[in-house]
């Protein structure tokens, strides 16, 4: 079926108390892995491309791959821009056929974040698209970080509920990526979500909340988040780990292999299994 509107997908999830997985893709095998997983689990799914992925694969290539895969899929698929930090990138994605955008002005002062987010929201809404925006700062895990260090790092820059409410009131953004205890790129699940903060933000904004850096969360932590209003969950690191980890295994096993399909095929399967597992944990299986 054609790509679907992300707004409808997430409002339905918020109502139904489950979360839709938003999985990062930057090549054909990962796109296929995500869509196959969603089909096997009969789940709606969001494919998202970061600015880095767009630079790597090319905007038109990403859109063509995802559109083609969606059109041949038996489940609803949305295409979302992840962490678009400039207006130009948002405009390009809107024109190219994305079904939702993200303006990430979280590193800017509050007023500037509001002003820029508002520009993207006004533009997107005029074209019928929804926008995700970010408040607080969701940091990045260093490989060397001990669990305690990363949890402390996350605490420093969490979203303030009253500011989040003001932010949504002024910008009219549709989905809110609020910093609530996770950080990006964790290879071990040690994030601790600030539940009272999530509940307060949800209560004050009535906005579908987005959990970034969710590779660093245990299943229980993720499910606690969903019970408090998280309905889009971003996963990138777990897919990378599965994909490249399998590549290492295959090459160690067959050091003379030169057929990319013999290497990348198993990587695609490994990524697919991770995505299937997350979809089940998010309560999204069977919701297509
Ligand atoms: O925006 C993308 C995500 O927040 C992914 O986070 O790499 O920790 O899975 P992750
Ligand atoms: Zn993120």
């Amino acid at each position: 079926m054609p790509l679907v509107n992300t707004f409808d997908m997430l409002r339905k999830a918020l109502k139904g108390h489950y979360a839709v997985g938003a999985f990062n893709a930057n090549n054909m095998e990962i796109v296929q892995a995500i869509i196959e997983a969603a089909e096997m689990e009969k789940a709606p799914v969001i494919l998202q491309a970061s600015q880095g992925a767009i630079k790597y694969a090319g905007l038109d290539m990403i859109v063509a791959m995802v559109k083609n895969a969606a059109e041949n899929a038996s489940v609803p698929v949305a295409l979302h821009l992840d962490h678009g930090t400039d207006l130009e990138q948002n405009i390009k994605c809107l024109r190219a056929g994305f079904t939702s955008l993200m303006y990430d002005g979280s590193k800017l002062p509050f007023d500037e974040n509001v002003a820029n987010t508002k520009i993207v929201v006004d533009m997107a809404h005029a074209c019928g698209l929804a926008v995700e925006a970010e408040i607080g700062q969701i940091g990045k895990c260093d490989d060397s970080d001990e669990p305690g260090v990363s949890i402390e790092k996350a605490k420093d820059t969490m979203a303030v509920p009253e500011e989040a409410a003001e932010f949504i009131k002024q910008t009219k953004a549709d989905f809110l990526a609020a910093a609530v205890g996770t950080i990006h790129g964790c290879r071990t699940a040690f994030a601790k979500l600030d539940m009272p903060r999530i509940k307060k933000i949800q209560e004050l904004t009535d906005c579908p909340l987005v959990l970034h850096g969710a590779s660093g969360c245990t299943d229980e932590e993720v499910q606690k988040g969903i019970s408090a209003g998280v309905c889009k969950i971003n996963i990138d690191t777990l897919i990378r780990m599965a994909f490249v980890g399998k590549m290492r295994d295959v090459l160690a096993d067959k050091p003379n292999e030169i057929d990319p399909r013999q290497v990348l095929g198993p990587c695609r399967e490994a990524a697919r299994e991770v995505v299937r597992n997350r979809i089940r944990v998010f309560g999204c299986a069977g919701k297509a």
Side-chain angles (χ1 to χ4, degrees), residues 4 25 48 59 72-73 88 94 127 170 181 194 196 214 233:
V4 305
Q48 54 184 18
L59 182 60
N72 290 298
E88 201 182 316
L94 185 150
C127 304
Q170 289 192 38
D194 185 332
I233 301 186

Side-chain angles (χ1 to χ4, degrees), residues 59-91:
L59 182 60
D60 293 342
M61 180 63 84
I62 298 235
V63 174
M65 283 192 299
V66 177
K67 265 194 176 166
N68 180 276
E71 273 157 19
N72 290 298
S74 55
V75 293
V77 179
L79 174 58
H80 179 73
L81 168 64
D82 187 31
H83 293 290
T85 52
D86 62 68
L87 302 182
E88 201 182 316
Q89 183 70 76
N90 273 276
I91 294 168

Side-chain angles (χ1 to χ4, degrees), residues 14-239:
L14 186 63
K15 249 181 147 181
H17 307 289
Y18 62 92
V20 179
F23 302 100
N24 286 73
N26 53 43
N27 67 15
M28 182 190 77
E29 283 77 11
I30 296 177
V31 169
Q32 291 173 325
I34 295 166
I35 303 230
E36 270 175 32
E39 288 192 297
M40 290 168 96
E41 296 301 327
K42 300 189 177 25
V45 73
I46 300 170
L47 265 102
Q48 54 184 18
S50 65
Q51 293 186 161
I54 290 169
K55 199 167 164 204
Y56 173 76
L59 182 60
D60 293 342
M61 180 63 84
I62 298 235
V63 174
M65 283 192 299
V66 177
K67 265 194 176 166
N68 180 276
E71 273 157 19
N72 290 298
S74 55
V75 293
V77 179
L79 174 58
H80 179 73
L81 168 64
D82 187 31
H83 293 290
T85 52
D86 62 68
L87 302 182
E88 201 182 316
Q89 183 70 76
N90 273 276
I91 294 168
K92 283 182 178 164
C93 289
L94 185 150
R95 285 177 56 90
F98 279 53
T99 61
S100 49
L101 303 175
M102 177 176 186
Y103 178 70
D104 174 1
S106 60
K107 292 201 171 70
L108 302 173
F110 182 82
D111 289 344
E112 230 176 297
N113 190 7
V114 167
N116 289 354
T117 302
K118 216 172 147 354
I119 294 172
V120 175
V121 170
D122 289 347
M123 175 186 74
H125 284 183
C127 304
L129 296 195
V131 177
E132 176 179 338
E134 184 163 328
I135 188 94
Q137 277 182 31
I138 305 157
K140 203 169 172 0
C141 206
D142 294 327
D143 291 351
S144 56
D145 279 354
E146 292 295 324
V149 175
S150 296
I151 289 169
E152 282 311 309
K153 261 192 194 173
K155 273 187 190 159
D156 292 345
T157 54
M158 285 200 210
V160 176
E162 291 70 21
E163 273 184 21
E166 190 54 32
F167 182 73
I168 291 298
K169 193 173 150 208
Q170 289 192 38
T171 62
K172 309 263 184 307
D174 305 277
F175 323 131
L176 185 62
V180 289
T182 53
I183 55 176
H184 289 109
C186 295
R187 299 181 191 194
T188 320
F190 48 61
K192 284 278 164 267
L193 298 184
D194 185 332
M195 290 304 298
R197 191 179 298 263
I198 299 178
K199 284 182 187 149
K200 191 80 190 158
I201 293 173
Q202 165 60 30
E203 183 193 312
L204 295 180
T205 62
D206 188 32
C207 198
L209 302 181
V210 182
L211 188 64
H212 282 247
S215 294
C217 290
T218 61
D219 297 357
E220 284 151 315
E221 213 61 27
V222 156
Q223 284 161 349
K224 276 199 264 170
I226 295 170
S227 71
V230 166
C231 56
K232 172 176 179 277
I233 301 186
N234 291 6
I235 297 286
D236 185 4
T237 299
L238 282 176
I239 296 176

